[in-house]
Structures are given as structure tokens and as C-alpha cells.
Amino acid sequence: MSRTGLAAAINVDKSLVGRWVAGTVSPSEHNLANLTRYIATQIDGFTLLDWERDLVGFGEKLGISDNAKAEIAGAELIPDAIFEEGLRGAKVRGAAYEGFWRTIRASSDLPGRYLRDITMIRRRPDGLIGWTTGIEGERYGGWALLLGHQFFSVGWDEQHGTMMFAIFNGVARQRAEMLDGLSVATLRDAGSSPPCSACVMERVGDLSGDPAADDEYFADEVEALDPLVQPEEVPEKIREHLARTVTDDAPGLMRMFFATSMARGPLLEA
């Protein structure tokens, strides 16, 4: 059903339906009741309680799929209990991470230099947290599970046939303004060597509520991005934080301890 058709059926503006679909706002109690009554005319026995179902159960109620999880690439590798917990985390806390982010990480090719990427985080209609990141012609896109206060992410660059994995520290209650963690991808060398990179992500913008406009903004930002950063452009605090993920007492091991994480919400002024 089109957004316009649904808006007319329950007497709301179609832009509001668009925001529901994008996940930027949730229906008010009044609108949810109207929406439920309308769906009940299409699906026998649908009630307000059905909104509390997990993703698989909700899909079964709507007759969309016998197993909604099976429609998500890669999800079959994750135990159901963990997957459902990640979906609950996205439902409760996903909005705190939506927006545009700039990632700073050390260059694997040029010692002493840094790289920056642009990343867009946006909740998906299937309940997962979706993300897209871009730098110099490369575009990775994928999904993440929010377990506790950590992002467990997987993504693909379909054009170059490679993948990326990442774990980021998040925040427990506030709206996230900074994240840090580790990502594993491949270099663009002859052997597609796999580096592990320590990363710090800073929020640089919010979603507009219009997915098409956000996609266009993301593409423009990536196109205009100068990915190579001079050391003096990176705050000393961040340079030190990235450097201490590898220590002399653990050669070859990179780690991002939560106890020293830079992940935070808004800074409150006294």
C-alpha cells in the first residue's frame, strides 16, 4: 500500500507516514489505535498487542514470511536469541545512533597519517540498524546488532567483492555523540591484505526524515571528502587514543578497552 493511501485511510498527512516508515518518529497513541483498527480490516484478529511481537512473530502475523530473519542476508549465522536481543536493542536505543558520522582512523598505507570516512546510520524497516560508509569510490553497506551498549556490525562492498566487520563501544542512555571501536576490512593492495583499524566516530549531522534526501546528502558528502588527513588536523586526544590500542606488552594485539573508551553522549555544561 502506498504511503498516500495509508495516510488517507487513517486521516493523517502522508509526510507523517513517511516518518513512521523511516523510523524517525513513532505513532502517537491516538494514531496507533487508528492504524491498528485499519489493519484489522485487512488482517483478521489484528490488535494493539500485536505491535509487541518480535520481528519473526510480527512477520508471521502479517503473513509476510514464515521466517522474517531468513530474509536478512547473513542473519542465519546468528543464534535466534542473540538476533532477537539485537533487534530489541535497536528498537529501544537505535534512534540514539541515527545520523551522519565522520570516522577518523590511522592510515595502514601511510604511517603517521590518518584517514576519514563518512558514515550514515539509519534504522531499517526490518528492525535492524543499517549503516553505509564511503571513501574514495568504496561504499560499504550493512547492518548492525545493538547488544548492550555495543554495535556488532557486518557489511559489504559489492562492487569490489569484499567485506567489513566492526565492533564499536556505544553509550548506555544518552544520545550518542562519539563512538570508538575496531574494524576489520581489506586494503586495496595486490593481496587485499586485512588490517584491523582503531576508529573514532564523531557525529556531524542528523537525518532529515526524508530517506531519499539523506541518501543524496550522504553521496554528496562522500564525493566532496578529502580522505587523507594531516596529523595536525586530528586532535591530540584522539591521536593518543588511537595509538594506545596497541601496546608494547601485547605485540600484534589491538584492543579498545571500554574502561578507556571515548564513547559519549552530549557534554553537559555546568
Side-chain angles (χ1 to χ4, degrees), residues 122-137:
R122 181 170 62 197
R123 287 179 295 174
R124 306 187 338 181
D126 59 18
L128 289 169
I129 296 174
W131 59 270
T132 307
T133 189
I135 182 175
E136 279 195 329

Side-chain angles (χ1 to χ4, degrees), residues 53-245:
R53 293 173 178 263
D54 60 27
L55 181 63
V56 174
F58 192 75
E60 290 174 348
K61 181 66 178 182
L62 298 184
I64 294 172
S65 171
D66 291 335
N67 184 359
K69 179 181 172 184
E71 304 296 324
I72 301 171
E76 70 278 3
L77 301 176
I78 301 174
D80 288 346
I82 293 179
F83 189 80
E84 293 300 328
E85 181 63 26
L87 289 177
R88 283 191 290 271
K91 179 180 179 180
V92 174
R93 292 284 299 144
Y97 297 90
E98 289 187 305
F100 297 97
W101 300 78
R102 181 176 57 240
T103 303
I104 299 293
R105 55 190 169 89
S107 171
S108 300
D109 301 313
L110 300 172
R113 304 289 288 276
Y114 296 85
L115 296 174
R116 55 188 163 199
D117 315 73
I118 297 296
T119 297
M120 178 172 62
I121 297 175
R122 181 170 62 197
R123 287 179 295 174
R124 306 187 338 181
D126 59 18
L128 289 169
I129 296 174
W131 59 270
T132 307
T133 189
I135 182 175
E136 279 195 329
E138 293 187 351
R139 297 289 189 279
Y140 284 89
W143 50 268
L145 294 178
L146 184 56
L147 299 170
H149 54 259
Q150 289 180 314
F151 269 82
F152 293 81
S153 306
V154 59
W156 302 262
D157 180 349
E158 295 187 19
Q159 181 179 354
H160 297 95
T162 187
M163 298 182 67
M164 174 187 288
F165 306 91
I167 302 176
F168 277 85
N169 293 312
V171 296
R173 295 180 179 85
Q174 294 175 299
R175 178 177 185 264
E177 295 291 335
M178 182 176 287
L179 309 173
D180 60 8
L182 303 175
S183 69
V184 180
T186 56
L187 297 178
R188 288 185 290 180
D189 59 8
S192 296
S193 305
C196 181
S197 301
C199 310
V200 172
M201 295 177 60
E202 295 182 273
R203 181 186 292 276
V204 294
D206 297 322
L207 300 180
S208 68
D210 182 339
D214 291 334
D215 290 341
E216 183 177 356
Y217 176 81
F218 171 78
D220 290 343
E221 288 296 297
V222 174
E223 184 67 26
L225 180 70
D226 180 1
L228 193 60
V229 188
Q230 298 292 344
E232 59 269 19
E233 296 181 64
V234 181
E236 182 178 359
K237 186 176 180 180
I238 291 181
R239 293 201 309 269
E240 292 177 351
H241 187 64
L242 294 175
R244 70 181 175 200
T245 58

Side-chain angles (χ1 to χ4, degrees), residues 11-12 20-21 29 34-35 43 45 51 69 93 107 136 139 142 189 210 262-263 268:
N11 196 30
V12 298
W20 293 345
V21 173
E29 184 176 347
N34 287 339
L35 183 61
I43 299 174
W51 295 110
K69 179 181 172 184
R93 292 284 299 144
S107 171
E136 279 195 329
R139 297 289 189 279
D189 59 8
D210 182 339
M262 296 184 76
L268 303 179

